[in-house]
Amino acid sequence: EDQVTQSPEALRLQEGESSSLNCSYTVSGLRGLFWYRQDPGKGPEFLFTLYSAGEEKEKERLKATLTKKESFLHITAPKPEDSATYLCAVQARQAGTALIFGKGTTLSVSS
Amino acid sequence: GAVVSQHPSWVICKSGTSVKIECRSLDFQATTMFWYRQFPKQSLMLMATSNEGSKATYEQGVEKDKFLINHASLTLSTLTVTSAHPEDSSFYICSAPTGKEQYFGPGTRLTVT
């Protein structure tokens, strides 16, 4: 069964304190791994898509990496405005283009 | 990135009534759209796949007669919650793929009283 597990469930950081969020997955043929940011009461905002092990993508303070079993979202020197829930999702070859989501990591950054 | 809109953003209805939610791709065409449901503190769960020109496909456990989906055009899909009950109260989100990426709407908060 295709599955996505994110850890930790919640993370509290001080402004400027770098850290990483983990996304472990089991899927029957990975078509793509997606990272989204979701603010309370809003739809997910697209961040990155990764397709193969070893791939890395960066956007401002965020950097996503991918291995054959997991992905990391590294947050460098976070700011309070980075506070949100970060969702990881996979797209399996057999599932068409539907995404399977993890439960998310809720990040709180305090100044 | 691509833009997907939803309408309404929130709705309150009485038990037993029906509610229609619209999902539009504003700057691209989508032959397929997806409908997800998200309960508080939970992840997004796929409900159904909306296909332009053909019937929607539903995930196991989702009642197709209760959640009616119509993909009216290449930019519009609608989800109608029929005979809504309080347990249908949730956050409904649509998405549409374009190329290798997938974009989500802002969501619709449904509250059934």
Side-chain angles (χ1 to χ4, degrees), chain B:
Chain B
V3 180
V4 176
S5 71
Q6 279 185 245
H7 178 80
S9 55
W10 60 270
V11 58
I12 301 173
C13 71
K14 292 187 176 181
S15 186
T17 62
S18 296
V19 173
K20 180 184 284 189
I21 302 170
E22 293 186 348
C23 176
R24 293 181 185 272
S25 55
L26 297 185
D27 51 0
F28 65 100
Q29 293 183 333
T31 56
T32 299
M33 291 184 177
F34 300 98
W35 287 96
Y36 293 82
R37 181 166 52 184
Q38 186 177 35
F39 292 105
K41 303 291 186 181
Q42 297 294 315
S43 186
L44 279 74
M45 297 298 294
L46 180 67
M47 297 177 63
T49 301
S50 174
N51 303 298
E52 194 270 338
S54 64
K55 291 184 178 180
T57 55
Y58 292 81
E59 295 301 299
Q60 191 172 12
V62 177
E63 300 175 58
K64 63 180 180 180
D65 294 331
K66 181 173 184 60
F67 298 98
L68 301 180
I69 291 173
N70 181 29
H71 203 127
S73 72
L74 289 173
T75 59
L76 174 64
S77 174
T78 61
L79 168 68
T80 301
V81 183
T82 63
S83 187
H85 291 285
E87 57 265 31
D88 298 324
S89 298
S90 187
F91 193 50
Y92 292 85
I93 311 173
C94 69
S95 73
T98 174
K100 291 184 177 181
E101 296 170 351
Q102 190 163 141
Y103 292 90
F104 285 78
T108 297
R109 172 73 60 193
L110 170 62
T111 302
V112 184
T113 61

